[in-house]
Amino acid sequence: MLVSLSIGAVDIPPSQILFILTHPRTASNEIRTANQASGTTHTSAVILLQLRLPRVLTAVLVGACLSLAGAIFQGLLRNPLAEPFILGVSSGAALGVTFGMFLALPVALGLYTVPLFASLGAALAMAVVYRLACIGARLSVFNLIISGVIVNAVASALIMFMVSIMERELHGVLFWLMGRLDTTTMGTLRILTIAVAVVFSAAIYFSRDLNLLTLGEEDAFHLGVNVERVKRLLFFAGSILTGCAVAAGGIVGFVGLIVPHGARALVGPDNRFLFPASMLLGAILMVTADIAARTASSPSEIPVGVITALLGGPFFLVVLKRKSGLVWSGRRD
């Protein structure tokens, strides 16, 4: 985070960053003075507090949301390929946001409708994918991926249709769809923080049940787990996280795939340790990707979703290639 706050069109020394963050009153006075004086708005305090700090906090929270959602989905589905982007949940959330923009609901009802519509779209997409992937009482891994591809395609087509007939903010919407971290409001950041705190608490509370679910639903049921309740709650929680992340940063793919694998290699499969490790690694990955997006082709900017796709695409292919020989919790798919 300190590196990200330091680097940009105007470099700010770490010592100055620490002074501004530890002396907020002085920084606020500087911002007011800068806003009153013409041509002096590009002070370090203005750049840091009004531009870079909200962006870095957004990257941290989006990375934590997507990584925790990926870890939850992988645990519930007992599938190392489960991830919000691959399952179509991110596209469903983006469809919900685009639909709200199309109807101009954020203007009419307030900015809090953006996370709401994103969460509803994500939950609906997850429900559709799960229903399509079930064969009787059994969840097919192959059908899960195919269902995610179908939902992604349909959601993307509907998004492009609405964007094509929207006369306003076309470029901004398209850039947001590819991953954008510089448009988040403080209200959205507060919602993200609350969502992460609530879902993380719920995930830790159900971590023992989720550990038992890796043995199989039937075995977990005989060990006292209310399987259907845990699945419904955690699927909903993961969808809420994905929706809030998409509302803040657009579609950022493959973070929920890469990070839980790395966290699992570091701390093992126990979800009590996997969830916090995934959130921390996800925050690190998103902040690092944002640094690359801002500086790789400066002064222009690359969407952060492009950076994560370049990292996650090859990783997905490697995991998919190994899937035929991968034993997931003692079973082969």
Side-chain angles (χ1 to χ4, degrees), residues 5 13 33 68 130 161 185 187 308 322:
L5 292 173
T33 303
L68 180 56
Y130 186 82
F161 169 73
T185 64
T308 59
R322 294 178 55 193

Side-chain angles (χ1 to χ4, degrees), residues 26 60 66 69 100 116 133 162 176 191 274 290:
T26 303
V60 168
L66 293 175
L116 175 62
M162 285 186 285
W176 169 77
I191 293 176
L274 178 64
D290 184 52

Side-chain angles (χ1 to χ4, degrees), residues 38 46 73 98 109 124 132 139 157 169 187 197 207 224 228 232 234 236 254 272 279 285 290 315 329:
S38 176
V46 173
F73 288 150
T98 308
L109 303 178
L124 179 61
L132 291 175
L139 182 69
E169 301 179 355
S207 59
E228 291 304 317
R232 283 195 298 267
L234 291 183
F236 179 74
F254 297 107
R272 294 173 299 173
M279 292 174 64
L285 176 62
D290 184 52
F315 185 86
S329 301

Side-chain angles (χ1 to χ4, degrees), residues 5-221:
L5 292 173
S6 301
I7 296 176
V10 177
D11 292 335
I12 305 176
S15 58
Q16 192 173 2
I17 292 174
L18 295 175
F19 175 80
I20 293 172
L21 294 179
T22 54
H23 297 79
R25 287 190 177 181
T26 303
S28 298
N29 292 333
E30 183 181 352
I31 290 175
R32 281 195 294 270
T33 303
N35 289 334
Q36 293 170 359
S38 176
T40 60
T41 56
H42 295 292
T43 62
S44 297
V46 173
I47 293 172
L48 180 66
L49 296 180
Q50 294 188 352
L51 298 177
R52 292 187 189 171
L53 185 59
R55 180 167 183 152
V56 171
L57 292 177
T58 301
V60 168
L61 290 171
V62 168
C65 282
L66 293 175
S67 302
L68 180 56
I72 289 173
F73 288 150
Q74 289 179 14
L76 283 172
L77 300 172
R78 301 186 298 283
N79 178 10
L81 296 175
E83 192 261 348
F85 179 73
I86 296 171
L87 295 178
V89 183
S90 295
S91 295
L95 177 60
V97 174
T98 308
F99 182 71
M101 290 180 177
F102 180 74
L103 298 179
L105 292 178
V107 176
L109 303 178
L111 292 176
Y112 291 102
T113 57
V114 173
L116 175 62
F117 271 78
S119 299
L120 291 175
L124 179 61
M126 186 71 252
V128 171
V129 170
Y130 186 82
R131 179 64 64 181
L132 291 175
C134 286
I135 302 175
R138 181 176 177 272
L139 182 69
S140 169
V141 173
F142 177 77
N143 286 357
L144 187 73
I145 297 174
I146 296 300
S147 301
V149 171
I150 293 172
V151 170
N152 261 319
V154 173
S156 298
L158 292 174
I159 289 170
M160 289 300 103
F161 169 73
M162 285 186 285
V163 169
S164 66
I165 61 178
M166 289 172 65
E167 298 180 355
R168 61 190 184 282
E169 301 179 355
L170 178 61
H171 178 269
V173 172
L174 290 176
F175 203 85
W176 169 77
L177 287 173
M178 293 184 288
R180 185 170 185 173
L181 301 175
D182 61 343
T183 60
T184 306
T185 64
M186 292 307 297
T188 304
L189 281 177
R190 283 193 291 269
I191 293 176
L192 266 177
T193 304
I194 294 172
V196 170
V198 171
V199 175
F200 174 71
S201 300
I204 291 296
Y205 179 79
F206 288 108
S207 59
R208 175 186 172 276
D209 294 340
L210 199 56
N211 287 338
L212 294 176
L213 273 173
T214 59
L215 302 174
E217 294 185 8
E218 189 173 335
D219 293 337
F221 176 78

